Amino acid sequence: MLIGGMQKNSLIDYPGKVSAALFTIGCNMRCGYCHNPELVLPERYANSMNLDEIFDFLEARKDKLDGIVISGGEPTMQPDLYDFIKTIKEMGYLVKLDTQGTNSKILKKLIEDKLIDFVAMDVKGPLDKYVMLAARPVDLDTILESISIIRDSGIDHEFRTTVVKEQIDPSDFQKIGELVKGAKRFALQRFRPGNTVSPSFSRKTTYSDEEFEEFKEIMSKYVKECVVH
Ligand code: SF4
C-alpha cells in the first residue's frame, strides 16, 4: 500500500462517524479539478508512509475512532488493498472506501466479503463526457458495473459529482440522475479553485447557491437523499 497522507481525526470524511482518513498514492484519471496532485501526478508524488506506524496509530486509537476512510488517489489501484482493509476490519473498525469505480472486481469482492461498510463513488458526469472529465481513457462498462454493484449492495453508499460550471451543464443532471437512479444518497460538490491537477482550473467557476438548489431538486427525483457540499 502506498499511502501519501493521513487525516488523523475527521468528522466529515465518514458521514456520522469520527474517522481517520488514509490517502493512497496513484490514480488512473487526471480530473483537472482534483485537489490532490501529490497523489495523482507521478512527478509530484508524496513520500509513502510507513505502514507499521499507520497500524500502530490505528491500534492505539481504537477507542476514539469509529471508522477508517480509505481515499486517494484511487485506492483500488493498490494491489494489496484487500488484505489491508481486512486487517483494519479485524481491528474492529468500520471501513469507508472512496473510489471512482474503475475497478469493479475488487469493489465486488470487498462488498461480498463484508469488508466495507460504506462506499462513496465519484460519478464524474454523464457518460458522454466521462473521457473529457477524467482526461484519460475510461471503460464505461466498468463504471456502470461499479454503480450497479454499489447501488444493489445494501450497504451505505453515496455517489457524488464535482460541479465545474465550464464542464457540467444544467441539462447533464438528468443524465447523471438516470445513472444513479435508486441510490441512497447523492452529493453535489461545488468546485473550489486551488491547488489543482490542471493549473488552468484556477480560472474555472461553479454555479450559484440558487442554481445548486435547482440541481438538488432534479437529483432528488432520482435518489433518496441529495446533499450539497
Ligand atoms: S479527483 Fe480524479 S484525478 Fe483526483 S483522485 Fe479522484 S479520480 Fe483521481
Side-chain angles (χ1 to χ4, degrees):
M1 289 292 291
L2 296 178
I3 304 210
M6 170 159 66
Q7 169 80 40
K8 291 186 170 175
N9 204 304
S10 166
L11 295 173
I12 52 170
D13 287 288
Y14 195 139
K17 307 285 178 200
V18 183
S19 65
L22 300 168
F23 301 93
T24 60
I25 297 172
C27 186
N28 50 356
M29 292 186 178
R30 291 290 183 274
C31 314
Y33 58 73
C34 177
H35 283 293
N36 294 313
E38 69 289 353
L39 301 172
V40 169
L41 302 173
E43 66 275 19
R44 292 179 61 179
Y45 274 174
N47 291 328
S48 75
M49 295 175 68
N50 181 301
L51 288 188
D52 289 339
E53 284 173 20
I54 292 174
F55 284 127
D56 286 349
F57 171 82
L58 298 183
E59 194 64 46
R61 298 293 302 232
K62 273 204 273 198
D63 296 340
K64 303 211 168 49
L65 298 170
D66 305 313
I68 306 301
V69 179
I70 320 278
S71 191
E74 175 50 40
T76 65
M77 289 180 69
Q78 303 291 322
D80 46 354
L81 180 69
Y82 184 93
D83 291 336
F84 183 73
I85 290 181
K86 195 157 180 272
T87 307
I88 294 175
K89 278 302 280 180
E90 281 164 3
M91 289 181 178
Y93 281 114
L94 294 169
V95 172
K96 172 174 177 266
L97 178 70
D98 291 350
T99 181
Q100 25 81 319
T102 51
N103 188 343
S104 55
K105 283 200 185 77
I106 183 75
L107 190 57
K108 190 162 183 246
K109 193 161 163 47
L110 286 164
I111 291 173
E112 275 175 2
D113 294 353
K114 303 197 181 336
L115 290 179
I116 41 179
D117 305 281
F118 195 120
V119 188
M121 175 176 159
D122 285 3
V123 171
K124 297 296 170 191
L127 289 185
D128 56 335
K129 287 188 174 175
Y130 239 85
V131 172
M132 177 273 286
L133 293 162
R136 277 290 182 277
V138 182
D139 180 348
L140 297 177
D141 288 338
T142 302
I143 298 295
L144 290 173
E145 203 184 337
S146 291
I147 293 173
S148 299
I149 290 167
I150 294 168
R151 188 180 36 205
D152 301 340
S153 66
I155 67 170
D156 280 336
H157 60 266
E158 173 184 288
F159 295 99
R160 53 200 190 184
T161 300
T162 298
V163 183
V164 179
K165 190 170 183 175
E166 289 80 3
Q167 293 186 314
I168 300 284
D169 298 318
S171 62
D172 287 332
F173 288 102
Q174 271 168 346
K175 295 185 203 168
I176 298 170
E178 289 294 335
L179 286 177
V180 299
K181 202 172 179 174
K184 279 195 184 178
R185 189 173 143 113
F186 183 84
L188 289 157
Q189 302 191 136
R190 292 182 178 88
F191 163 68
R192 292 182 176 84
N195 179 29
T196 48
V197 159
S198 170
S200 68
F201 274 63
S202 61
R203 293 188 297 278
K204 302 218 185 296
T205 59
T206 196
Y207 291 95
S208 67
D209 290 351
E210 292 72 28
E211 287 166 314
F212 267 96
E213 281 308 307
E214 288 170 24
F215 304 151
K216 184 177 170 181
E217 214 167 289
I218 295 169
M219 291 307 299
S220 297
K221 291 183 190 143
Y222 295 94
V223 297
K224 295 189 179 64
E225 183 192 8
C226 179
V227 294
V228 179
H229 293 312

